[in-house]
Amino acid sequence: MSSVRFRPSGAQPKEGDDDYWNSSGFKPFNFNDDDDEEDSIDVIRWDGSTAAPIRPKSQTSLSKHRPPVTQAMSSPACGITSARAYGSARKQHFPSSPATLPQHSEPMTAKPNGAARPTSGTDQRTLTEVVTAHSAPTATDFAKLETANYSLRRQLAQAKRDQAAAPSKSETLCRLITGGTYILELYKSKEDKAALLDGAIQRHDGNAILAATLFMRDTLKRDLFSKELMKRAVAVDHYCAYLRAAGEIDELHETLSALGRTEEAAMLKYRQCLATTSASNPEIRSSALKDCIKYYFDCDLRLSNETSAIQEQIMLMERQSAVEDSDSAAEKSGTVQVFKSHPRRDSIVYKSVITTLYYCCYYHWGEAEGLLSSPTSIKNQHKIGEKQFLYTALAALCRMRRWRDIEALLTVPKSLFRSARLHATIGFDKVVDVLSKNLAPPDALGKYCAEIEGNEKRLEMAIRLKSFKVAIDTLVYTKDRQKLMAYLDEIPQANQHMRQYASTQLRSQDIKWRN
Amino acid sequence: MTSMDAFPDVSVLKGLARQQLAMSLGNFYGKKDLVIDPTLMTPLDRLTGVQFLKEKGVDKIFKLEHKEILGGCDQRVYIVRPEVKIMRQIAAHINSDKRAEKLRKYRILMVPRQLHICNMILEQEGVLGNTVLIEDLHIDFIPLDSDIISLENPQLLNAVFREGDQTWLHTVARSIVNIQAAFGTIPNVYGQGHNAKIVDELVKTLTSEFDEKKSPLQHQIGHLILLDRDVDYVTPLCSQVTYEGLLDDIFEIKCGAIDFGPEVTGTEKSVKTLLNSDDAIFDQIRNRHFTAVFKFLSSRAKEIQANYDKRHNMELQDLKNFVASELKGLKQEHRSLTLHIGASEVIMKHKTKGSLKKGDLQDILRIEHSLLEGSDFRECVAYIEECIHRQYDMLLTLRLLCLLSCTTSGLLSKDYQNLKTQFLHSYGFEHMITFFNLKKAGLLTEAQTGKETSIESNLNKLADSRAVGSAVSYVTSSLAALQKKDWFRTVSKKLSLIPKPGTENNTHHPSDMSYVFGGAYVPLTCRLVEQSLQRQGWSGLEDVLRHLPGTTFEKQEARSAKAGKTGATMASKVVLIYFIGGVTYSEIAALRFLGRQKGYKVLIAATSIINGSRMLESFVETVK
């Protein structure tokens, strides 16, 4: 707005200015542009001097009043101002209008400021002007520069102080949440730190909560940090999640113990123990586990179940290691038939109890209980239930095709009052299911299929497994003539024997058919 | 699906995500290699293609692994989740480049935002500097279909519900803010759950902090329902019997796509196919109960055959038209039909014939139904024992165990110890950690007796009495909530989740949402959605909701304010349901059914699509 006022008097240089500014990159400082003008006024006022009224002078009567110009140049915008002036000078040199000549001396005073360096050979006369101008500065000029310099320093210091003062906590939290830049280090007092954390918790942003927590950890004394942390359960959760992710197990363990979360702390140590020994041999792992029990489990009665489980695990590992050693040696020696016909696939070390039991049923069935590889010994040591044992043994023996052993397993021996009979705690339907899923041939199944209790179940199973005799017998037993006739069609032609059997039954006079 | 005139077009979100990616890659001039976090591979696949990346100057694409990347050009972009482990891997890469004196520029794009700890780790590893630039890559929702959007962030479940780490909830809230920016501010919000409440508050914070004006857009979505997964763990623990659910359980659907192996295709090759409403055949069968699928497929096959046959008695001109217009569609349908018939056959095999490692689906379903009804407890326990004894697939056994616990509000101490011991024998002692994790998440708990319960209830009271975020942590309070005695039975009675015996259930023409579980159970979450829409809030349900974990809240816009505008009335029939912690395909099917039945247009958002196995997998201990 001020430029508008002064425009008439500055008409002559303005033309040149326009010429220049239309093609220049220094646009922001075009005084004829209203928007930019506001900018430059701001900048000059920031100086704190009476810059605003000066600038119009510098624009209108540069050649007449030197001191004001220097003052203007001492303002932050000075370098650019002079550059502008110099630029316009260069432009106006060739037109060489006398009115513009004196202007050259003005921009050149800017040279000591280093803002405008004339390129070589623009104008000889200008240089001489410069020299005279350079020698010109008076004591007043220096004093003024000195003042300006002082005030600038003061303001720089102020600006630095401004930056060092922390922005409000909510501002910082907002930046944390929205992904802006923030500096937590500016908060020095414990109260500020705590307030920052509380603010983060209140805003529910995990990132901010963790940032504030970790900042506290790094800048507060250990016990102060713990005290503040323990007061805030949400912060504890985030801190623990971080420690787990970052693998700071010891710190995590300490935190959990301090919180009284012994079960979690013990589980953590147990897990760490397994993770660090997963590649080591059983001896190392078992001694590590023993330490683990001693230090982290024994102290809490509530963990007695877990403690005994780990003790079981140690016993199991000792067994596995012994069996593995002797079996792999036997396999290498090449003298043991079973390892040749059924090569071992995988080491049993670190496998589960039942997998180990299966292995021992597979390779070491019938061994005396004194041996570590004996299935019975595993069963007794780990208190494996009758059902569980039966499922496992059946599957293993079936895979080995040891039908006699299976029969022995399912037979209750003859006693004083009863002859020997078949019996299975899991029920014969399950026996048949296990055997068939382990690919037992139909003739091996027939015997047990016939033992299934419940006619419907037995029939269903017999039909599904193509155990023809059992199916026919069941249908005869239920006196279901219609079904038996229908079933006859399902028996393949190739099985003449069974077709014959079914037909005989159908023709039999002794059966009182229901239908 | 019904016509969707005013339905928000979620593919817009895909465009936005692509833009973000294009911008981030475009800002990094020149040729560069891309290193992608394995968990982001499939989601990125859904958004872009190799062609798109090549256009943006991507040269080679690598998967982020622990090992070093050999070769590649002098600029590299990492696209990763902001996780500690991943930061260390990246740091290792950069440091090894430094040692080898390879000069490279790096950009690390963190999806969806950078975290304080990530920058901290990179700083600690000494890799920050001029050559490493870290940026946010705001990708949240991946539209999987016209009515499903997902953050595809399965790790959220473990972090939020087990560890109580709220970091990812910011992403959930941010995704809602973005939705509102695209489709207008949603006027009505109902929620149930501790985390749902946090998300709602975060949405408010973010909206004000980002200084977003209330969206000037006419809102296209009338209701937002926020639900925590732990409000209903029961539903994802049940075997799914809708077609899409079965596909997910048996073949696993990843980010809306499925890999059919040779057993389905009948050839040696596997076929990867997208499963969405663009596939007309699939769209028809995805929500059906499995028993109703085969009939449809066979009638469809006949139709297609008939259409093919038309061409035999056609004039030349007609034939030309036929080839030009119909043939392609027919071929596509044919291809899809072949695949789905193949898949159905495999499903049938699973259903009637268990394998060595899995029981018959029929047996499992029977046990699940008993558990839901609360009948034959001993038989159920016996079956679970059998699963353990026969070393069935561990996730199956765990799923049934958790279902047992969730439906009975915690196992009796004797049963718990007994089952746990047998489980550890069968699957390994290390799984005592799994048990601990499941206990912490509230999935498999031991019912507390007498004295201890009162301590828990005191803790609970303490939690209620204080403001959110103070003394008692989420994990503790949610455990306490679960220990409210027999809450599942109470809730299921009050909301009649179990249809009365004798109620006719027609799986071909279902009459209510229970059809997704063969008429045995209405998913709790879906019933809550139904009720809240019907009541326009939770009023009258307080008696039920107080039994559920977490807090209840609702926010409603003054009714009269928007009345009269036609757009608003249309939008009032559009509802966005957001599952924090994941949603199952069964729930999606039930909600689609609900939408059709009640005239709502349903849009489903979730942090990931889950099923029983995937949900439990995140809690299973993997150390050997």
Side-chain angles (χ1 to χ4, degrees):
Chain A
M1 42 184 186
S2 46
S3 72
V4 176
R5 234 192 300 146
F6 285 93
R7 209 168 267 164
S9 58
Q12 181 69 3
K14 200 197 114 197
E15 253 178 54
D17 268 14
D18 272 347
D19 255 40
Y20 172 71
W21 290 117
N22 287 341
S23 60
S24 160
F26 289 118
K27 226 167 184 170
F29 292 92
N30 184 351
F31 291 150
N32 294 319
D33 184 310
D34 275 5
D35 289 347
D36 290 329
E37 164 135 21
E38 305 255 19
D39 275 356
S40 41
I41 286 175
D42 272 359
V43 173
I44 289 163
R45 273 185 188 150
W46 189 73
D47 191 12
S49 66
T50 53
I54 286 159
R55 192 172 36 96
K57 276 185 206 161
S58 73
Q59 202 180 14
T60 52
S61 50
L62 284 170
S63 55
K64 286 177 230 160
H65 307 279
R66 186 175 297 166
V69 175
T70 349
Q71 203 171 23
M73 284 193 302
S74 71
S75 77
C78 67
I80 320 268
T81 320
S82 53
R84 176 196 66 92
Y86 168 66
S88 59
R90 197 175 51 173
K91 271 257 170 189
Q92 287 155 8
H93 169 65
F94 292 107
S96 209
S97 131
T100 57
L101 282 180
Q103 263 192 335
H104 294 291
S105 64
E106 301 311 323
M108 284 311 149
T109 54
K111 231 176 80 181
N113 283 355
R117 281 177 202 285
T119 41
S120 62
T122 36
D123 195 349
Q124 287 299 320
R125 284 174 300 169
T126 316
L127 272 176
T128 53
E129 288 282 344
V130 167
V131 174
T132 50
H134 197 58
S135 60
T138 59
T140 351
D141 285 342
F142 274 117
K144 278 181 175 157
L145 279 170
E146 207 66 38
T147 331
N149 188 17
Y150 173 71
S151 95
L152 272 176
R153 274 174 196 281
R154 207 185 48 204
Q155 287 185 21
L156 185 64
Q158 177 66 42
K160 275 185 180 161
R161 269 202 303 280
D162 281 351
Q163 230 175 15
S168 72
K169 282 171 287 269
S170 60
E171 175 62 28
T172 297
L173 283 168
C174 167
R175 289 184 197 172
L176 260 165
I177 292 170
T178 54
T181 48
Y182 51 86
I183 308 169
L184 296 176
E185 281 72 14
L186 297 174
Y187 299 95
K188 298 292 180 197
S189 78
K190 195 186 95 181
E191 287 69 27
D192 273 353
K193 291 169 208 224
L196 202 61
L197 180 53
D198 285 333
I201 292 172
Q202 213 175 26
R203 285 171 176 74
H204 308 294
D205 179 37
N207 184 39
I209 295 174
L210 191 55
T213 308
L214 292 178
F215 171 59
M216 266 180 132
R217 177 175 86 163
D218 296 339
T219 56
L220 281 183
K221 202 168 72 173
R222 180 79 209 168
D223 56 333
L224 273 181
F225 166 65
S226 298
K227 218 175 110 195
E228 291 298 321
L229 181 70
M230 299 301 165
K231 280 191 218 159
R232 297 167 178 85
V234 175
V236 171
D237 282 345
H238 285 82
Y239 185 53
C240 290
Y242 159 76
L243 292 175
R244 192 169 285 119
E248 294 182 30
I249 301 295
D250 292 331
E251 167 71 6
L252 178 56
H253 179 259
E254 210 171 291
T255 310
L256 291 173
S257 307
L259 285 163
R261 284 152 76 168
T262 35
E263 184 178 7
E264 195 168 356
M267 283 298 160
L268 179 78
K269 278 292 172 185
Y270 172 63
R271 188 186 184 282
Q272 188 192 18
C273 182
L274 293 182
T276 50
T277 58
S278 61
S280 349
N281 62 30
E283 283 77 44
I284 295 178
R285 178 179 268 196
S286 84
S287 80
L289 281 177
K290 277 175 192 159
D291 284 348
C292 188
I293 292 181
K294 194 161 82 189
Y295 296 126
Y296 311 113
F297 282 84
D298 270 349
C299 53
D300 193 340
L301 272 178
R302 286 170 297 179
L303 295 175
S304 58
N305 285 317
E306 281 73 19
T307 311
S308 57
I310 299 174
Q311 271 155 354
E312 245 187 285
Q313 187 176 17
I314 295 169
M315 290 188 306
L316 177 68
M317 276 167 10
E318 279 159 6
R319 180 191 298 273
Q320 284 169 337
S321 153
V323 173
E324 180 66 29
D325 286 350
S326 78
D327 281 6
S328 62
E331 189 176 26
K332 266 189 205 130
S333 74
T335 52
V336 182
Q337 188 55 40
V338 72
F339 293 128
K340 276 194 206 158
S341 55
H342 299 84
R344 298 184 329 135
R345 284 205 201 114
D346 200 2
S347 152
I348 51 164
V349 174
Y350 300 159
K351 295 283 178 347
S352 75
V353 176
I354 299 306
T355 307
T356 313
L357 177 64
Y358 180 90
Y359 173 92
C360 290
C361 289
Y362 194 76
Y363 289 112
H364 302 278
W365 183 255
E367 282 181 5
E369 211 192 313
L371 292 166
L372 277 174
S373 52
S374 147
T376 331
S377 131
I378 298 179
K379 180 185 164 192
N380 291 340
Q381 189 175 35
H382 293 281
K383 302 192 183 65
I384 303 295
E386 215 36 73
K387 286 183 180 176
Q388 169 97 75
F389 183 76
L390 199 54
Y391 274 120
T392 315
L394 273 179
L397 293 173
C398 180
R399 288 278 168 175
M400 255 317 184
R401 302 287 179 257
R402 297 172 77 148
W403 312 119
R404 272 173 204 285
D405 289 319
I406 291 179
E407 195 176 336
L409 183 67
L410 293 170
T411 305
V412 179
K414 184 171 78 171
S415 67
L416 190 57
F417 305 105
R418 275 185 90 166
S419 57
R421 66 200 158 91
L422 288 171
H423 174 76
T425 43
I426 54 173
F428 279 96
D429 52 332
K430 300 290 179 199
V431 172
V432 173
D433 193 38
V434 172
L435 294 180
S436 70
K437 278 181 181 156
N438 282 290
L439 313 172
D443 51 329
L445 287 172
K447 180 191 283 174
Y448 307 110
C449 201
E451 292 291 324
I452 295 174
E453 278 180 36
N455 298 325
E456 268 176 49
K457 226 188 225 174
R458 182 163 68 243
L459 184 63
E460 189 199 320
M461 207 59 146
I463 291 175
R464 197 206 291 183
L465 298 171
K466 302 199 166 41
S467 204
F468 302 112
K469 182 158 187 307
V470 179
I472 296 165
D473 285 346
T474 310
L475 287 169
V476 168
Y477 182 79
T478 54
K479 305 186 172 60
D480 196 335
R481 198 175 129 95
Q482 296 294 331
K483 252 199 186 152
L484 183 55
M485 280 165 70
Y487 187 64
L488 187 60
D489 298 333
E490 285 183 33
I491 304 173
Q493 294 293 335
N495 199 339
Q496 273 306 319
H497 179 61
M498 273 301 131
R499 292 183 67 84
Q500 197 78 46
Y501 180 67
S503 315
T504 322
Q505 294 293 335
L506 277 172
R507 277 194 300 270
S508 164
Q509 300 297 313
D510 307 336
I511 305 161
K512 288 182 181 155
W513 296 104
R514 278 193 289 135
N515 43 28
Chain B
M1 274 257 130
T2 46
S3 71
M4 303 252 170
D5 316 320
F7 197 64
D9 178 14
V10 292
S11 63
V12 172
L13 300 173
K14 188 170 167 176
L16 288 175
R18 278 171 72 104
Q19 256 175 33
Q20 290 278 350
L21 186 62
M23 214 158 70
S24 291
L25 292 176
N27 282 343
F28 199 29
Y29 298 111
K31 200 171 82 164
K32 58 232 160 201
D33 297 324
L34 206 58
V35 185
I36 305 178
D37 184 341
T39 61
L40 285 172
M41 284 279 199
T42 345
L44 281 179
D45 236 9
R46 219 42 82 242
L47 292 175
T48 63
V50 175
Q51 186 55 40
F52 174 85
L53 294 174
K54 294 268 178 215
E55 280 165 21
K56 301 285 172 274
V58 171
D59 187 32
K60 293 197 187 72
I61 302 176
F62 300 95
K63 186 165 135 190
L64 179 69
E65 282 169 316
H66 192 58
K67 62 171 192 265
E68 221 175 303
I69 296 172
L70 297 169
C73 65
D74 60 352
Q75 301 201 95
R76 188 185 281 169
V77 179
Y78 288 92
I79 301 184
V80 292
R81 291 274 187 213
E83 283 167 25
V84 172
K85 193 184 81 196
I86 287 168
M87 293 308 121
R88 297 229 166 105
Q89 283 176 0
I90 294 176
H93 286 175
I94 297 177
N95 279 328
S96 97
D97 280 351
K98 272 187 187 167
R99 274 194 300 277
E101 293 181 349
K102 263 183 225 149
L103 287 176
R104 238 196 270 271
K105 280 187 181 165
Y106 308 89
R107 281 216 180 175
I108 306 175
L109 306 182
M110 307 232 194
V111 185
R113 61 162 175 161
Q114 42 183 306
L115 298 179
H116 179 82
I117 40 161
C118 295
N119 296 8
M120 196 184 82
I121 300 259
L122 290 174
E123 188 180 340
Q124 284 170 356
E125 301 276 346
V127 295
L128 284 191
N130 292 333
T131 54
V132 180
L133 198 76
I134 303 168
E135 272 180 17
D136 296 350
L137 179 56
H138 294 294
I139 293 179
D140 39 52
F141 278 129
I142 312 282
L144 298 181
D145 205 339
S146 59
D147 61 345
I148 314 175
I149 46 181
S150 163
L151 295 182
E152 289 301 304
N153 189 347
Q155 60 265 55
L156 179 141
L157 185 73
N158 194 3
V160 172
F161 291 90
R162 184 167 75 84
E163 308 224 50
D165 178 350
Q166 300 166 356
T167 310
W168 287 114
L169 296 181
H170 182 282
T171 312
V172 176
R174 183 78 193 265
S175 69
I176 296 177
V177 172
N178 290 349
I179 282 270
Q180 304 206 96
F183 304 120
T185 306
I186 303 170
N188 305 308
V189 183
Y190 323 118
Q192 172 68 39
H194 179 85
N195 299 301
K197 176 81 184 141
I198 290 180
V199 166
D200 184 53
E201 284 170 19
L202 258 175
V203 169
K204 278 178 214 139
T205 313
L206 286 179
T207 322
S208 64
E209 301 283 30
F210 277 122
D211 202 27
E212 286 203 20
K213 305 279 178 300
K214 192 166 189 274
S215 176
L217 297 167
Q218 172 68 50
H219 63 267
Q220 292 181 49
I221 301 171
H223 311 266
L224 167 65
I225 302 176
L226 281 166
L227 293 170
D228 269 17
R229 186 70 270 174
D230 70 351
V231 168
D232 176 14
Y233 275 141
V234 171
T235 306
L237 288 171
C238 297
S239 302
Q240 309 195 67
V241 288
T242 60
Y243 183 63
E244 199 169 11
L246 274 164
L247 287 184
D248 193 22
D249 276 1
I250 292 172
F251 305 99
E252 202 178 339
I253 301 176
K254 280 183 194 149
C255 209
I258 196 166
D259 234 341
F260 283 130
E263 48 172 5
V264 172
T265 55
T267 59
E268 283 188 4
K269 272 191 288 182
S270 300
V271 173
K272 191 166 188 178
T273 182
L274 279 179
L275 293 175
N276 57 36
S277 45
D278 294 342
D279 178 343
I281 302 246
F282 178 66
D283 196 37
Q284 289 283 321
I285 52 174
R286 68 196 308 188
N287 299 319
R288 291 183 191 223
H289 188 274
F290 183 65
T291 49
V293 168
F294 227 74
K295 212 178 112 207
F296 173 84
L297 288 179
S298 68
S299 74
R300 195 72 205 182
K302 278 179 202 133
E303 274 173 45
I304 289 182
Q305 189 58 52
N307 277 331
Y308 268 130
D309 289 345
K310 270 200 312 205
R311 75 201 144 130
H312 291 308
N313 33 23
M314 264 185 200
E315 297 297 319
L316 192 61
Q317 187 55 39
D318 291 341
L319 195 63
K320 202 175 152 195
N321 284 339
F322 174 80
V323 171
S325 59
E326 277 182 61
L327 192 61
K328 196 167 164 241
L330 275 180
K331 277 203 166 149
Q332 247 165 23
E333 279 201 25
H334 185 184
R335 175 183 164 273
S336 135
L337 201 60
T338 322
L339 280 180
H340 292 301
I341 290 176
S344 304
E345 279 168 355
V346 175
I347 293 173
M348 275 309 281
K349 257 185 232 159
H350 273 261
K351 196 173 175 188
T352 51
K353 222 165 51 174
S355 63
L356 199 58
K357 287 292 163 208
K358 276 211 162 96
D360 303 1
L361 187 59
Q362 267 165 342
D363 286 344
I364 297 169
L365 286 176
R366 184 171 47 84
I367 295 300
E368 284 176 7
H369 291 180
S370 300
L371 287 172
L372 289 167
E373 269 172 40
S375 56
D376 305 319
F377 180 77
R378 280 298 138 201
E379 196 199 334
C380 296
V381 174
Y383 186 78
I384 295 173
E385 279 182 330
E386 189 186 325
C387 293
I388 296 174
H389 293 157
R390 299 177 76 167
Q391 289 187 305
Y392 278 166
D393 175 61
M394 188 175 70
L395 289 173
L396 166 71
T397 311
L398 266 186
R399 192 160 63 74
L400 291 175
L401 260 176
C402 291
L403 190 62
L404 180 73
S405 164
C406 285
T407 51
T408 56
S409 311
L411 296 169
L412 292 177
S413 191
K414 198 183 88 209
D415 289 323
Y416 179 85
Q417 288 305 340
N418 191 12
L419 286 166
K420 184 173 168 183
T421 309
Q422 297 187 46
F423 190 96
L424 297 186
H425 280 160
S426 261
Y427 301 101
F429 290 105
E430 68 274 11
H431 288 294
M432 72 172 80
I433 307 172
T434 306
F435 270 72
F436 177 74
N437 292 344
L438 290 169
K439 182 163 89 177
K440 221 178 142 197
L443 273 160
L444 179 52
T445 54
E446 192 178 348
Q448 301 293 331
T449 44
K451 210 174 156 195
E452 275 161 293
T453 336
S454 71
I455 296 172
E456 288 293 346
S457 70
N458 281 338
L459 268 178
N460 205 13
K461 269 182 214 152
L462 196 67
D464 291 341
S465 69
R466 300 201 187 188
V468 187
S470 62
V472 174
S473 92
Y474 164 63
V475 178
T476 341
S477 65
S478 92
L479 264 187
L482 281 177
Q483 269 144 8
K484 284 175 194 161
K485 207 170 173 336
D486 249 6
W487 71 272
F488 179 74
R489 292 269 164 273
T490 318
V491 169
S492 101
K493 225 173 269 160
K494 291 199 170 169
L495 290 175
S496 48
L497 300 181
I498 314 289
K500 289 193 183 69
T503 322
E504 199 178 329
N505 171 57
N506 188 335
T507 47
H508 292 258
H509 302 286
S511 56
D512 75 68
M513 292 187 285
S514 71
Y515 92 91
V516 300
F517 287 118
Y521 168 64
V522 180
L524 171 54
T525 47
C526 303
R527 181 69 94 201
L528 287 176
V529 170
E530 181 198 34
Q531 291 294 318
S532 65
L533 286 177
Q534 206 167 323
R535 297 160 193 262
Q536 300 283 303
W538 298 119
S539 57
L541 278 181
E542 295 82 0
D543 201 28
V544 179
L545 295 171
R546 76 187 162 85
H547 292 280
L548 297 176
T551 33
T552 308
F553 63 94
E554 59 180 40
K555 184 184 82 186
Q556 277 171 345
E557 187 197 43
R559 289 281 159 76
S560 55
K562 290 262 170 172
K565 286 193 192 170
T566 48
T569 49
M570 293 260 265
S572 72
K573 283 289 179 190
V574 179
V575 50
L576 171 67
I577 303 151
Y578 203 138
F579 288 83
I580 301 166
V583 66
T584 63
Y585 281 110
S586 298
E587 286 164 311
I588 293 174
L591 291 172
R592 282 176 179 150
F593 176 83
L594 179 74
R596 278 196 302 275
Q597 198 184 31
K598 310 274 180 191
Y600 277 98
K601 287 166 183 171
V602 176
L603 177 62
I604 294 150
T607 53
S608 63
I609 310 283
I610 56 166
N611 61 17
S613 306
R614 283 203 295 279
M615 181 170 85
L616 293 176
E617 230 166 20
S618 47
F619 300 114
V620 168
E621 182 49 57
T622 46
V623 130
K624 259 283 159 198

